[in-house]
Amino acid sequence: MEVLLLTCLVILIVYLLNHYYFTYWKRHGFCQMDSPMWLLGNISDLFFFRKSFSNCFIDLYEKYKHHKYIGCYFTYKPILFVNDPEVVQDILVSNFSSFTDRPRFVDEVRDPISTHLFNIGGQKWRELRFKLSPTFTSGKLKGMFPIMRGCGKTLRDFMLKNNSNGKNVFNFIDLFAKYTTHNIVTVIFSIDSDTFDDPDNVFRKISANFSEPSKRQHIMDIFSFLVPNILHAISIFNFRSVTANVNDFVMNFVAKIVKHREDTKFQGNDFLQLLIQLKNQGYILTKKNEEVEQNGDKTRSENINIMKKLTMDEIAAQVHVFFVGGFETSTATMSFCLFELCRRPDIQKKIQEELDNVFGASTNFDDVTYEMFNNLKYLECCINETLRLYPPLSILFRTCTKDYKMPDTDLIIEKGTSVYIPAIAIQRDAEIFENPLEFTPERFMDSPTGNGKANGGFYLPFGDGPRHCIGERMGKMQAKIGLASVLWKFSVEYNNKEDFGDMPELQKTQFFLRSAKPFNFKITPRI
Ligand code: HEM
């Protein structure tokens, strides 16, 4: 009898707690999504690998898009899902001071690699963003251009060599991953790594670790994005934001190469050298015009301690985020773009005509200049359109850092609440973009945001506001060079059209947007 009573009591307590947690939004006056599932809330599909990360959010958006914003639960954590471009703009730009952070797992002591620009918040983020901004000015990008062009040439030569040996089908996701890994390693460390021919290349192994995470790592990624406080609680059991292999390699490699440079007084023309300046003097030396560009950065703040130096751990953490940021996003952009170009040979032909016109008499990639690349306007539109249909980081996140009253209502978003913006779903909304699933680069011809029919933030592949992507220019340049390297010399088509439906199926264990199937495309040399 007592056991029965006790069981009933426990069930009642669990029921009441469940009810209490899952009515947070109603109690605060907001609408909320239906039927959160016990323990998992509204995203059980993610935990059971039933849908990709992006599809999960696209489906929620489709169901609730006529709410400007709506509450939901990821596990028991209340999350505000924002659908309306004007509210998006409010959060990312106009009222940024109430939403300065991302809900991310950071642990300086037990997991120093997690303390990078993407993850950290508050004053620490403000200072770091200010210090790192000179790394990404247009002047620095121009300085890096010859190195990046060299990587494009290596990609093209690899294809030419294999093609003359009879190989004409390549998995372009893998091929572009090799190219971006090669590129990012060169611009960070000035190391010419053999990512194309060496199957045991250590950098390629590390990048493969990001793009093909295990189910366990994917669950950890979900936790670290959606409910970082739970990850914090379990970090006493030694959970980390990356695998031990990646952590050890990055931390040890960076420490070793910095020491080597300091011992030998070697100065590289690369990111690492700029980070070493931040370690030794606390700031990066900039030219006058770069200062102007940097001062335009909205993160500028009066309270920045210019002299504060970065530690070795902080340098390694930034190397890590540049590597991940520069690798996976550009690989996805180039491979989805080529996927669409196989479907649309007419658009592919227009790009090739533009390449022929702009590159003119140049027969060698070394003769192609930075200015010529900047003149590839149609290719740029194709990249912008790819990023609309397939934004590699399909959801944006913010943490409310100061209680925020929603305009024209009495509703308050409480400090600590996570806010999610389903960028991919907004960018595929037929009420914003005409024929949204059609690849139409022309919509970017006269408009940097693709002529969307909405006010506010509706084109968000690089985010918006002071926390927008710091590497946007570099990411786009990397994608432009990679695509130009392929399309200048080759035409590309599906190897087997039946492999793909209307839209590529997406991987379910990947946080970034990635096709579930290899992109095996056939190349034919252009005459
Ligand atoms: C096509 C290429 C790329 C895409 C689509 C992309 C996309 C994004 C997006 C959506 C964000 C979040 C913005 C927000 O929350 O408002 C972001 C942030 C960031 N990205 Fe990128 N990215 C790309 C390339 C790069 C590259 C090349 C690097 C570095 C080498 C980089 C480094 C970062 C960093 C450090 C942040 C965090 C910025 C901050 O919080 O202050 N990204 N990126």
Side-chain angles (χ1 to χ4, degrees):
M1 187 62 184
E2 281 116 14
V3 175
L4 187 64
L5 269 177
L6 198 67
T7 313
C8 289
L9 187 68
V10 170
I11 291 174
L12 183 68
I13 292 173
V14 170
Y15 172 81
L16 289 175
L17 276 177
N18 201 56
H19 181 76
Y20 176 77
Y21 281 114
F22 283 154
T23 50
Y24 170 90
W25 287 113
K26 283 188 187 161
R27 281 185 280 115
H28 287 75
F30 287 78
C31 288
Q32 70 172 52
M33 292 184 189
D34 309 326
S35 339
M37 187 178 165
W38 196 72
L39 274 180
L40 298 180
N42 295 98
I43 50 153
S44 52
D45 286 336
L46 273 189
F47 286 100
F48 295 124
F49 304 105
R50 281 196 292 250
K51 288 181 189 167
S52 70
F53 201 77
S54 309
N55 286 117
C56 191
F57 288 93
I58 290 175
D59 291 351
L60 289 176
Y61 177 85
E62 281 306 319
K63 193 163 173 199
Y64 297 104
K65 75 174 184 181
H66 294 299
H67 293 263
K68 285 187 172 182
Y69 40 83
I70 183 163
C72 60
Y73 304 92
F74 292 164
T75 70
Y76 284 95
K77 189 169 169 51
I79 306 278
L80 191 70
F81 202 79
V82 176
N83 296 323
D84 179 72
E86 285 190 42
V87 184
V88 167
Q89 182 101 12
D90 265 358
I91 287 169
L92 296 182
V93 187
S94 325
N95 292 298
F96 173 75
S97 63
S98 296
F99 299 93
T100 56
D101 296 356
R102 286 198 185 90
R104 291 289 288 159
F105 169 81
V106 184
D107 188 330
E108 269 177 50
V109 180
R110 282 181 296 215
D111 193 26
I113 204 168
S114 65
T115 60
H116 52 69
L117 190 69
F118 192 89
N119 283 357
I120 60 173
Q123 182 63 12
K124 278 195 176 157
W125 166 76
R126 205 165 280 116
E127 293 202 358
L128 189 59
R129 175 93 191 198
F130 182 77
K131 283 170 187 284
L132 290 176
S133 292
T135 319
F136 292 92
T137 57
S138 47
K140 292 279 189 305
L141 187 66
K142 197 169 176 184
M144 275 176 217
F145 172 75
I147 300 171
M148 294 172 78
R149 182 185 54 198
C151 297
K153 188 165 176 269
T154 310
L155 164 65
R156 199 199 54 172
D157 291 349
F158 177 80
M159 290 173 68
L160 283 170
K161 186 179 75 186
N162 277 273
N163 190 244
S164 61
N165 290 337
K167 184 172 162 66
N168 65 354
V169 176
F170 294 86
N171 172 2
F172 270 89
I173 300 182
D174 180 56
L175 196 57
F176 282 138
K178 286 175 172 158
Y179 158 71
T180 45
T181 307
H182 181 56
N183 198 19
I184 205 79
V185 170
T186 318
V187 295
I188 296 180
F189 300 119
S190 302
I191 292 177
D192 187 8
S193 67
D194 184 7
T195 53
F196 285 95
D197 285 309
D198 176 8
D200 294 322
N201 182 271
V202 62
F203 296 107
R204 179 62 194 120
K205 283 191 168 168
I206 293 289
S207 61
N209 208 298
F210 300 133
S211 36
E212 284 131 37
S214 62
K215 285 191 172 172
R216 177 189 173 279
Q217 188 60 32
H218 181 58
I219 293 281
M220 297 314 294
D221 283 349
I222 294 174
F223 272 109
S224 82
F225 252 95
L226 305 184
V227 280
N229 42 349
I230 293 187
L231 199 67
H232 244 291
I234 54 180
S235 74
I236 44 171
F237 300 119
N238 224 10
F239 281 109
R240 296 288 177 266
S241 56
V242 294
T243 60
N245 282 356
V246 173
N247 180 74
D248 296 350
F249 175 76
V250 175
M251 299 309 269
N252 295 336
F253 185 76
V254 172
K256 229 157 87 186
I257 190 164
V258 170
K259 181 168 182 321
H260 176 260
R261 285 196 184 184
E262 292 184 337
D263 288 350
T264 58
K265 307 264 179 295
F266 172 80
Q267 301 263 334
N269 174 24
D270 52 28
F271 276 149
L272 187 68
Q273 204 59 46
L274 300 173
L275 291 172
I276 292 174
Q277 286 187 27
L278 290 177
K279 176 174 123 6
N280 294 338
Q281 65 203 27
Y283 57 90
I284 292 173
L285 289 172
T286 44
K287 295 192 183 118
K288 208 153 186 81
N289 58 342
E290 290 178 339
E291 261 169 43
V292 174
E293 220 174 286
Q294 190 191 356
N295 292 349
D297 192 315
K298 300 177 200 106
T299 60
R300 184 160 172 77
S301 154
E302 297 68 46
N303 303 321
I304 303 295
N305 179 355
I306 297 287
M307 305 308 283
K308 194 163 159 221
K309 297 171 182 171
L310 294 196
T311 63
M312 186 67 96
D313 281 352
E314 284 169 329
I315 291 192
Q318 309 326 309
V319 165
H320 171 64
V321 79
F322 291 173
F323 194 88
V324 181
F327 158 70
E328 193 65 52
T329 50
S330 298
T331 302
T333 308
M334 287 181 284
S335 46
F336 282 114
C337 186
L338 218 51
F339 170 83
E340 287 293 335
L341 296 180
C342 289
R343 216 177 358 206
R344 294 290 306 272
D346 54 325
I347 298 181
Q348 189 175 150
K349 194 158 170 265
K350 269 177 95 171
I351 297 179
Q352 288 169 329
E353 282 166 6
E354 180 178 72
L355 289 168
D356 294 342
N357 281 340
V358 174
F359 292 173
S362 325
T363 47
N364 195 327
F365 222 51
D366 292 334
D367 301 333
V368 177
T369 62
Y370 180 72
E371 287 68 28
M372 286 179 186
F373 264 96
N374 278 337
N375 283 334
L376 296 171
K377 299 291 178 218
Y378 191 66
L379 180 57
E380 173 122 17
C381 291
C382 291
I383 291 173
N384 290 341
E385 176 67 342
T386 305
L387 289 166
R388 182 190 64 77
L389 256 180
Y390 306 101
L393 204 62
S394 49
I395 315 293
L396 303 176
F397 308 82
R398 291 292 184 271
T399 302
C400 177
T401 41
K402 224 174 5 178
D403 279 4
Y404 178 70
K405 184 174 157 315
M406 297 302 274
D408 309 321
T409 71
D410 293 329
L411 303 176
I412 304 281
I413 307 182
E414 289 188 316
K415 181 176 170 183
T417 308
S418 299
V419 176
Y420 286 25
I421 297 163
I424 188 168
I426 296 175
Q427 293 178 183
R428 290 181 178 191
D429 185 341
E431 288 171 30
I432 298 176
F433 290 100
E434 234 168 84
N435 300 325
L437 299 186
E438 217 168 79
F439 187 74
T440 314
E442 284 71 18
R443 50 175 124 231
F444 285 90
M445 274 304 192
D446 311 311
S447 149
T449 50
N451 284 328
K453 293 177 279 181
N455 294 322
F458 55 87
Y459 181 66
L460 303 157
F462 295 98
D464 204 350
R467 279 204 94 146
H468 72 281
C469 175
I470 198 170
E472 173 173 350
R473 276 188 280 226
M474 184 188 154
K476 273 189 160 175
M477 181 56 89
Q478 184 167 247
K480 228 179 195 182
I481 295 176
L483 286 165
S485 312
V486 175
L487 294 167
W488 194 26
K489 290 291 163 206
F490 299 99
S491 293
V492 184
E493 62 189 305
Y494 292 135
N495 185 41
N496 185 3
K497 207 167 173 219
E498 282 69 50
D499 283 349
F500 306 104
D502 281 348
M503 294 301 275
E505 187 192 330
L506 300 174
Q507 246 185 45
K508 297 190 179 80
T509 53
Q510 171 61 283
F511 174 68
F512 288 102
L513 208 71
R514 186 171 241 260
S515 163
K517 291 184 183 159
F519 279 169
N520 289 326
F521 303 150
K522 196 193 295 178
I523 57 165
T524 314
R526 295 179 67 213
I527 308 146

